[in-house]
Amino acid sequence: MRALTGILIFLLVTSTLLGFYQWQDHLNMSAQSDDDKIEEQITIEEQSDYLTIEHKISGLNEGNFEAELPQFITNLSCVNSEGCEIEEGETLVVENLNDLTVTYEAPIKPLISEVKYNQDWLINLQPVQIADFTKERTVTLSANKEGKWLSSSKPMISSKRESIHYYEWRLYDEQNLPLYKFYEDMQLIEELEGTGIYSTEVDELTDQENDFFKYEELFHNRLVVISEQLESVTLSEMVIVNDIDRVNSELLKSHLKSITKNYSDDYDWVVNELANNFFVGDSGQVVEEFTQQLTEEQQDQLLNILLQQTKQVDETLPNYIDQLLSDILGYEVDFIKQNHGSNTLLPLSGIDLRTVYFDEQEVDFSVRLNNEGIYVSVEDIIELAELNGFNVNGRSEWFIQYENDRYRFYVNRDVYTINDQRYSAQPDTWFQYGSDLYVDYSLIESLFDFTFSFSDEEIRIK
C-alpha cells in the first residue's frame, strides 16, 4: 500500500512538473513570437490635395533599421528625436529604439480626369542586418465624403460617417497599399481574395467574361477598374480598362511593370508585344517571330514563368525576357535586347558561343541558331575566305564570286542562282539579321567546297 501511494505521489509530482515546463515553454515561445513581430499603426487624414500621416511602429527591440523614403513625401518628422534621424532627405535611420513615431505628408496627385492617386507613400522600415520577423500593419484613412478611395487591397472596413468616409486595412509583411481616389460612382462587381474588380457600368460579370479568372494570379494585389467613362491606364498595381476583353492583357502589362526594377517607358513596347502575343492575338512582327520560332508548349512555358514571378528581378526587362527565352530554347538569345530601340525587327535567333576555327586558326566568326538550324555569316565567309562578294538593292541581293562561278542570293525569296541558272531553296535556308545575311551552313558547305565539323566546344571550317 505504501509502495502504491509512493508511485501515485511520484506520478503526480512528475505530471505537475511536466505541465509546468510545458507552460513555461509555451510562454517562452509566445514571448519569442511577440518579440519577432513588428506592429505598425498608420493613421491617415485626407486634406484638399495631400494626406497627413502618423506612422507608429512598435516591437523594434532596440535594433538598427533603415528605410528609403518615398520620393515626394514632405514635412517628415521623428516624434522620437533621439535615435531617429533623416539622412540627406532620402533615408530614415533608426537605432536603439523599441517604439517609433514619424509624421509626414504625401501629395494627392492627378492621374487622369476623375482619378487622383498616391501609390508610393508608405515608409517601409527594414533591419540593417538580416533578421527573422513578421510585420502587421493597420492602416486607417479618414477621407472626405466626396469620391471613393480604392486600393489593390480590399479594406476591412469602408463606412460613411457623419462628416467623413472611414476606411481600414490590415497589411502583412511587405504588402503595399497604393491609394486611388475615384470621383465616378464605383461598384464592386467581383470579389477576389484580398482584392476586387470595380466598375462604373457593369453590374456583374457573365460566365464568358469570367474566363479571364483562369489567370487569377494576375489579380493578386492589383486593383482592376472597368469603365467606359475613364481613360485606360496601366500601372504596376492598378489597371483601368474600358474594354472588358482587354483585362488580361492589361493585367499582364501591370504584372511585368511590377516585377521590373526601375521600369522605363522605353519598355512599353516589350510588354505590349507580350500582351498581344498571349492575350490579344493582334498580328505584329514580334508575335509572328514567337509563332514561328516557339512551339505552343514553349510559349505556354514562357507565360507560366512570367505569371509565377512575384518578386522584382535584378535584370532589366529586355535582359530578363531574353534570359527566359534562352532557358526555354537551350541557347543564348538576345532577341529583345537587340530589338530594343531598333527601327527594324531582328529575327528571333540564338548566339552560338562555340569557338570557331578556320583552317586550324581560331577566328572571330559569327554563327547563329534558328529553329535548331546552324547559320553562318555571309560577310564573315567572304572576309575569311577572301572571296569577291558584295550586296545591292539595300542588301536584298548578295553576290559572291567563287573560283569561276557567280552566285546570287535573293534575301526575300527562296531563290539563288549559279551563273544565272536559277535554283530553289528550302524555306528558312537564310535570314537577314541587321546588315548581314545568315545562311544555313549545309548550303555553304555544298556550294563553296567548305567542310564544317561540330563538337560541344568547337566549330571547325576547312
Side-chain angles (χ1 to χ4, degrees), residues 5 38 70 226 269 284 296 311 332 339 384 389 398 420 432:
T5 302
I38 295 177
I226 303 169
W269 76 272
E296 288 188 11
K311 295 182 178 180
E332 185 170 335
N339 283 292
L384 290 175
W398 286 74
D420 297 327
Q432 187 84 24

Side-chain angles (χ1 to χ4, degrees), residues 93-291:
V93 178
V94 179
E95 295 180 347
N96 303 320
L97 287 178
N98 186 58
D99 300 321
L100 168 70
T101 299
V102 294
T103 59
Y104 55 99
E105 296 174 359
I108 304 172
K109 300 174 289 185
L111 178 62
I112 56 174
S113 177
E114 301 299 313
V115 182
K116 294 183 178 181
Y117 80 116
N118 190 319
Q119 62 177 11
D120 183 26
W121 60 269
L122 182 58
I123 292 178
N124 188 17
L125 210 60
Q126 296 290 340
V128 174
Q129 295 180 332
I130 296 176
D132 186 15
F133 64 89
T134 60
K135 286 184 180 179
E136 185 175 299
R137 294 165 167 166
T138 300
V139 182
T140 63
L141 168 60
S142 298
N144 302 331
K145 275 195 166 183
E146 181 187 11
K148 186 172 187 176
W149 285 93
L150 299 176
S151 181
S152 56
S153 177
K154 188 170 173 290
M156 298 172 56
I157 300 174
S158 175
S159 65
K160 289 187 177 180
R161 301 180 180 178
E162 286 187 7
S163 59
I164 63 167
H165 195 146
Y166 177 83
Y167 304 85
E168 184 173 318
W169 290 268
R170 185 67 55 85
L171 308 178
Y172 297 93
D173 295 328
E174 304 310 315
Q175 189 176 355
N176 194 24
L177 190 72
L179 294 171
Y180 310 94
K181 185 169 187 178
F182 292 82
Y183 290 91
E184 295 284 348
D185 184 24
M186 289 289 162
Q187 301 299 322
L188 179 65
I189 59 171
E190 189 77 27
E191 186 169 354
L192 301 172
E193 182 180 354
T195 185
I197 300 176
Y198 293 81
S199 179
T200 55
E201 300 96 4
V202 182
D203 294 327
E204 61 182 11
L205 297 175
T206 66
D207 291 339
Q208 183 179 4
E209 291 163 344
N210 265 295
D211 284 346
F212 53 61
F213 288 130
K214 66 180 179 179
Y215 302 107
E216 190 172 330
E217 54 265 63
L218 287 175
F219 291 85
H220 290 174
N221 297 321
R222 194 161 280 114
L223 174 64
V224 178
V225 174
I226 303 169
S227 173
E228 294 181 357
Q229 302 172 28
L230 297 175
E231 178 185 346
S232 294
V233 177
T234 299
L235 302 177
S236 60
E237 295 176 277
M238 186 272 287
V239 298
I240 301 174
V241 296
N242 48 35
D243 181 357
I244 198 168
D245 292 331
R246 298 191 67 91
V247 169
N248 270 331
S249 62
E250 296 308 311
L251 281 173
L252 179 61
K253 295 178 188 180
S254 174
H255 174 68
L256 291 173
K257 290 182 178 183
S258 71
I259 64 173
T260 305
K261 285 184 179 178
N262 302 319
Y263 185 89
S264 166
D265 290 342
D266 293 341
Y267 301 155
D268 284 350
W269 76 272
V270 182
V271 299
N272 289 337
E273 292 290 350
L274 289 170
N276 287 342
N277 181 73
F278 292 120
F279 295 121
V280 180
D282 289 348
S283 60
Q285 289 181 307
V286 172
V287 175
E288 288 178 4
E289 283 297 307
F290 274 32
T291 302

Side-chain angles (χ1 to χ4, degrees), residues 39 46 88 145 149 161 174 301 403 409 439 455:
E39 295 183 344
E46 179 185 0
E88 299 180 357
K145 275 195 166 183
W149 285 93
R161 301 180 180 178
E174 304 310 315
Q301 186 179 356
E403 295 181 347
F409 299 89
V439 179
S455 69

